[in-house]
Amino acid sequence: MTTLIEPVTVIGGVDTHKHTHYAATIDDHGRLLGHQEFPATGPGYTALHAWMRGYGDLKSIGVESTGSFGAALARELAQHGERVVEVNRPNRLARRMDGKSDRLDAEQIARAVLGETSTAIPKSKSGIVEVIRTLRVTRASAVKARTQAFNTLFGVMIGAPSRLRDELVDLTKRTLVNRCLRLRPETDDLLSLTATPERMHLTATKLALRDLARRWKALDDEVKQLSTQIAALVNDAAPDLVALHGVGTEIAGQFLVTVGDNPDRIRSEAAFAKLCGVAPQPASSGRTTGRHRLSRSGDRAANSALYIITIVRMRRHEPTRAYVERRTAEGLSKREIIRCLKRFIAREIYANLPQSRT
């Protein structure tokens, strides 16, 4: 008699770290097949993939932190045609019962995929949207540093000697910066033993104001350059989205980053609304039925972008203004109307995303 050996269906799990990734494999019955550590490098990713393939038919792989330490691994596996699942929330009950280690974490990640408690498809991070995201992160850092530079400049100016402070205190932001750029401190006074403390204080203040103004100007030029580059990329990637009322390149860029380079991972406009935190959540129990509450989950930056669009349309979009008047006459509060509008706008945004599903 011939014995038939059924092929083994394998599910992988990877606990990711900065320098190493720990992988585990289980079969479709939850039995542990193996576990091993690999370096977090290109050759290490190749070895990890081949090692998992060696146990049988690889069905799917759960990867932790696909937005940070696991991003490169997830991209590498997806390029080889593997089904990658994002797993970010550990099984807390299992952690309390069994403890924590890299092996246990990798095994629990694989079990989360097997039990379908984790089903999210990670962003591919391999197209124009990833370029936009990188530039937006860089610009956000520059904007923050620019604000800090000006706040420091303003604080130094307020505490400056009176004759210098009186010249600067009433100037607007940009005029103040330009005026500080033209300051010419006598730097020799800082090293002179004969200079008075007042003169040394004045010289040091001028020097600090000029250096802070140069820093602010450099950061301002960087922000302008990055904004121009981002606007060109967003207009090229999503012209239909930018053309919507109240949606500019900044807000359109946020929605592109929220969705990622593979928008097909969001299967419906309801899923997109949930991702943006504008899908009402059921809150019924026992005899209380039909009750819903406001969602506090999802991408809060995308939720903020929807709010900005809503406020702009409530002020300058005639169809929206008519809707507000009608719903107000029905007894709805302004907050409730804004929630309804955000849900409607999310539907419109989804329909105009590049390559979105209908």
Side-chain angles (χ1 to χ4, degrees), residues 15 64 87-101 104-118:
D15 183 31
E64 181 192 42
V87 182
N88 286 329
R89 183 182 293 275
N91 189 323
R92 297 180 181 179
L93 177 61
R95 178 167 291 183
R96 284 196 298 267
M97 293 178 61
D98 301 330
K100 172 177 171 54
S101 69
L104 291 173
D105 287 348
E107 184 179 347
Q108 289 303 322
I109 289 169
R111 296 190 187 282
V113 177
L114 175 63
E116 296 186 352
T117 56
S118 295

Side-chain angles (χ1 to χ4, degrees), residues 37-242:
E37 187 177 63
F38 297 88
T41 61
Y45 303 151
T46 303
L48 184 151
H49 185 215
W51 175 78
M52 286 188 174
R53 278 286 182 186
Y55 282 99
D57 181 19
L58 188 57
K59 181 180 179 181
S60 54
I61 306 171
V63 179
E64 181 192 42
S65 302
T66 58
S68 55
F69 290 142
L73 174 63
R75 184 164 51 243
E76 181 79 12
L77 295 173
Q79 289 174 354
H80 284 83
E82 301 295 350
R83 178 177 179 268
V84 181
V85 178
E86 182 177 7
V87 182
N88 286 329
R89 183 182 293 275
N91 189 323
R92 297 180 181 179
L93 177 61
R95 178 167 291 183
R96 284 196 298 267
M97 293 178 61
D98 301 330
K100 172 177 171 54
S101 69
D102 292 344
R103 180 190 69 80
L104 291 173
D105 287 348
E107 184 179 347
Q108 289 303 322
I109 289 169
R111 296 190 187 282
V113 177
L114 175 63
E116 296 186 352
T117 56
S118 295
T119 58
I121 304 300
K123 299 176 183 178
S124 61
K125 292 182 175 292
S126 59
I128 189 173
V129 175
E130 180 62 13
V131 177
I132 293 171
R133 187 196 69 83
T134 303
L135 294 179
R136 280 173 56 86
V137 169
T138 306
R139 185 185 61 182
S141 175
V143 169
K144 184 177 181 180
R146 183 181 64 178
T147 302
Q148 291 175 337
F150 182 80
N151 290 342
T152 305
L153 184 149
F154 187 82
V156 172
M157 183 270 294
I158 289 296
S162 296
R163 63 174 178 170
L164 178 61
R165 179 184 183 278
D166 294 345
E167 296 177 5
L168 304 175
V169 69
D170 293 328
L171 300 179
T172 60
K173 176 188 288 188
R174 194 168 292 274
T175 305
L176 173 61
V177 171
N178 291 333
R179 179 68 180 84
C180 291
L181 286 171
R182 295 195 297 270
L183 291 174
R184 294 295 179 264
E186 298 292 339
T187 54
D188 292 341
D189 289 343
L190 293 176
L191 303 177
S192 176
L193 297 177
T194 60
T196 63
E198 292 78 8
R199 189 171 181 83
M200 293 179 66
H201 183 203
L202 178 62
T203 300
T205 303
K206 287 183 177 180
L207 185 64
L209 290 174
R210 187 187 64 180
D211 290 347
L212 288 167
R214 288 175 176 174
R215 184 187 306 174
W216 187 94
K217 187 66 168 59
L219 289 167
D220 187 58
D221 292 340
E222 181 182 344
V223 170
K224 290 179 179 177
Q225 181 180 1
L226 288 168
S227 297
T228 302
Q229 295 170 344
I230 292 170
L233 290 170
V234 171
N235 279 301
D236 181 61
D240 294 338
L241 192 59
V242 176

Side-chain angles (χ1 to χ4, degrees), residues 282-333:
S284 302
S285 179
R287 296 182 179 180
T288 303
T289 59
R291 184 172 179 269
H292 292 77
R293 65 176 178 85
L294 178 66
S295 172
R296 297 292 184 184
S297 61
D299 188 331
R300 305 316 298 172
N303 188 283
S304 176
L306 288 173
Y307 179 81
I308 293 172
I309 299 172
T310 301
I311 297 303
V312 170
R313 291 190 176 188
M314 289 174 67
R315 292 175 179 174
R316 299 187 178 94
H317 191 231
E318 287 303 323
T320 303
R321 291 169 63 89
Y323 174 83
V324 172
E325 292 178 1
R326 178 170 61 84
R327 299 293 277 175
T328 301
E330 294 175 358
L332 268 68
S333 66

Side-chain angles (χ1 to χ4, degrees), residues 235-303:
N235 279 301
D236 181 61
D240 294 338
L241 192 59
V242 176
L244 295 177
H245 189 95
V247 181
T249 54
E250 170 65 21
I251 292 179
Q254 176 58 58
F255 287 127
L256 290 176
V257 171
T258 297
V259 173
D261 283 299
N262 46 337
D264 54 318
R265 72 192 187 95
I266 301 176
R267 294 178 291 274
S268 66
E269 58 88 12
F272 177 73
K274 186 173 183 179
L275 177 62
C276 295
V278 293
Q281 295 182 339
S284 302
S285 179
R287 296 182 179 180
T288 303
T289 59
R291 184 172 179 269
H292 292 77
R293 65 176 178 85
L294 178 66
S295 172
R296 297 292 184 184
S297 61
D299 188 331
R300 305 316 298 172
N303 188 283

